[in-house]
Amino acid sequence: MDIVQLHDKRFEVFIDKATIANKVVALAKQIDADYKGLNPLFLGILNGSFIFAADLFRHISTPAEISFIKLASYRGTTSTGNIVTAIGLEENIAGRHIVIVEDIVDTGRTLHSFLPQVLQQQPASVQIACFLSKPEARVCEVVPRYMCFEIQDTFVVGYGLDYDGQGRNLPHLYRLCD
Ligand code: IMP
């Protein structure tokens, strides 16, 4: 399955599943060491992060918790553009060490809008762990502390990421064919 067709577009393998798996384990080890004894709370952002979050969390050995939230986005009345609200955040995050788990930081708008809401609840710390980052596409400043891969500004699917609902189940990461 080197080339896959999703809706009207064709995608080619970009990062294979073995490379992804090795990188996720290495990242988990780094996070594990940094958060030893701190009982971190991982907050996975649905839908895109579900596979990355599961693989990452499986390799955390210090006691830790995980929860998932969905971010609903709507157009704000100010020039800041979209405003996001978190759905499903039931944990009290005050005083907790939070690791936000995201599939990809693209323009940065989503997390830029969401982070102040997290900080308002006075967690002990907040860091971002993302599977992918597209620094060239950044519009809002968001700096992930932990990241598997930095990629160019190209559209990708697989390993949880979708194109119009399709492709999340693909084992490798694929990019749009030219
Ligand atoms: P941001 O607010 O622009 O950083 O957007 C982040 C969200 O856009 C991610 O959580 C993804 O759901 C989606 N996204 C951005 N780039 C891609 C891509 O290349 N493939 C699939 N989804 C993407």
Side-chain angles (χ1 to χ4, degrees), residues 15-28 55 59 131 148-149 159 171:
I15 305 176
D16 69 86
K17 65 179 183 183
T19 306
I20 292 172
N22 288 338
K23 194 76 192 192
V24 172
V25 171
L27 196 74
D55 285 352
H59 292 97
F131 173 53
C148 285
F149 304 100
Y159 198 68

Side-chain angles (χ1 to χ4, degrees), residues 3-17:
I3 302 272
V4 295
Q5 174 98 27
L6 301 174
H7 301 296
D8 58 330
K9 299 201 186 319
R10 281 153 51 87
F11 294 85
E12 61 189 2
V13 172
F14 180 29
I15 305 176
D16 69 86
K17 65 179 183 183

Side-chain angles (χ1 to χ4, degrees), residues 48 102-111 134 154-157 161-163:
E102 183 56 304
D103 54 353
I104 182 165
V105 182
D106 183 20
T107 64
R109 282 194 181 101
T110 310
L111 287 181
K134 290 184 194 170
T154 178
F155 192 79
V156 290
V157 295
L161 290 107
D162 74 309
Y163 167 49

Side-chain angles (χ1 to χ4, degrees), residues 88-162:
L89 181 54
E90 278 146 18
E91 283 77 7
N92 178 6
I93 63 171
R96 299 291 307 267
H97 292 277
I98 307 297
V99 181
I100 295 176
V101 183
E102 183 56 304
D103 54 353
I104 182 165
V105 182
D106 183 20
T107 64
R109 282 194 181 101
T110 310
L111 287 181
H112 193 261
S113 174
F114 176 55
L115 280 172
Q117 299 174 41
V118 177
L119 290 169
Q120 208 175 20
Q121 297 185 49
Q122 303 191 310
S125 68
V126 184
Q127 296 295 348
I128 297 163
C130 61
F131 173 53
L132 302 169
S133 175
K134 290 184 194 170
E136 288 168 11
R138 209 72 98 241
V139 172
C140 299
E141 201 193 346
V142 171
V143 184
R145 165 71 69 92
Y146 306 101
M147 182 201 328
C148 285
F149 304 100
E150 242 180 34
I151 62 168
Q152 288 181 337
D153 191 4
T154 178
F155 192 79
V156 290
V157 295
Y159 198 68
L161 290 107
D162 74 309

